Amino acid sequence: MRRLLRLRAWLAPLGAHRRALTALLLIWVLAALRLFIDPSPRLPLLFNVTPSLPHHLVWLRQDGTALRRGDLVVYRFEGDAAADRPGLRGQPFFKVLRGLPGDVVTVSGLSVALNGEPMGMAKSRSFDGRALHPIAAGVIPPGHFYVQGTGPDSFDSRYKESGLVRADQVLGTAVVLF
């Protein structure tokens, strides 16, 4: 009983902010549900909170036009990393489309190139210390794309754990707003 009274006394000052705290809790619950149950974007407005691209706010365009090299594409993440990081599965990512079917990916050590053009170095460890591996060399098969962020730390097709993006994962292209 004494503990309950102490807890109640500690929480009393928060009573004045009950509505704001309830709204904040609701937002976090909805965010957790979206993250782990259905991460599909419901609105065409997407935010980038990572340094992988210089864009922070984009509009998702789902017009079905053919993808071209250089397009900023939005896709559902389904790479190998989703197996041990379940929060990644289905998350909308947006990256620059760099490689098309028929393009050749070459790997020398940690250096990845596309049609002979260097795409950057793959890191051996992620920020949380997990091992990363460069993508396997080869020809990009039909129905797949090589995507990449503009930052050196972008988690993209340079890595086996992210991999190539299948055409059915692509949600559309992004129009940069900010």
Side-chain angles (χ1 to χ4, degrees):
M1 185 67 165
R2 184 175 254 175
R3 285 185 182 175
L4 182 60
L5 290 174
R6 271 192 262 165
L7 178 62
R8 197 176 259 176
W10 185 79
L11 293 174
L14 299 178
H17 305 288
R18 181 171 297 179
R19 282 189 179 166
L21 291 172
T22 302
L24 185 62
L25 178 63
L26 180 62
I27 289 168
W28 279 102
V29 167
L30 291 173
L33 289 173
R34 182 183 175 275
L35 180 66
F36 293 107
I37 295 175
D38 182 12
S40 303
R42 299 286 180 240
L43 296 173
L45 195 60
L46 299 171
F47 298 91
N48 178 30
V49 295
T50 70
S52 66
L53 289 170
H55 318 298
H56 302 291
L57 185 64
V58 299
W59 186 264
L60 174 61
R61 186 174 53 205
Q62 300 169 305
D63 57 8
T65 58
L67 298 176
R68 299 180 318 256
R69 195 179 317 274
D71 282 348
L72 187 58
V73 295
V74 179
Y75 62 96
R76 287 184 326 276
F77 185 86
E78 293 182 12
D80 292 350
D84 62 333
R85 296 177 184 105
L88 284 177
R89 183 169 309 285
Q91 284 299 316
F93 276 39
F94 53 97
K95 308 278 183 202
V96 178
L97 192 147
R98 301 289 292 261
L100 299 168
D103 288 349
V104 178
V105 176
T106 53
V107 179
S108 176
L110 295 176
S111 180
V112 179
L114 184 63
N115 296 328
E117 180 185 341
M119 293 289 111
M121 299 293 287
K123 295 185 176 276
S124 59
R125 298 243 170 241
S126 65
F127 287 119
D128 62 2
R130 297 177 197 216
L132 292 172
H133 306 90
I135 190 170
V139 176
I140 299 175
H144 290 76
F145 304 102
Y146 181 102
V147 297
Q148 190 165 346
T150 57
D153 296 325
S154 178
F155 186 54
D156 50 37
S157 291
R158 286 177 291 175
Y159 300 97
K160 173 187 169 285
E161 292 79 8
S162 181
L164 298 173
V165 173
R166 293 186 324 272
D168 65 342
Q169 290 173 251
V170 177
L171 300 172
T173 56
V175 177
V176 176
L177 300 176
F178 173 72

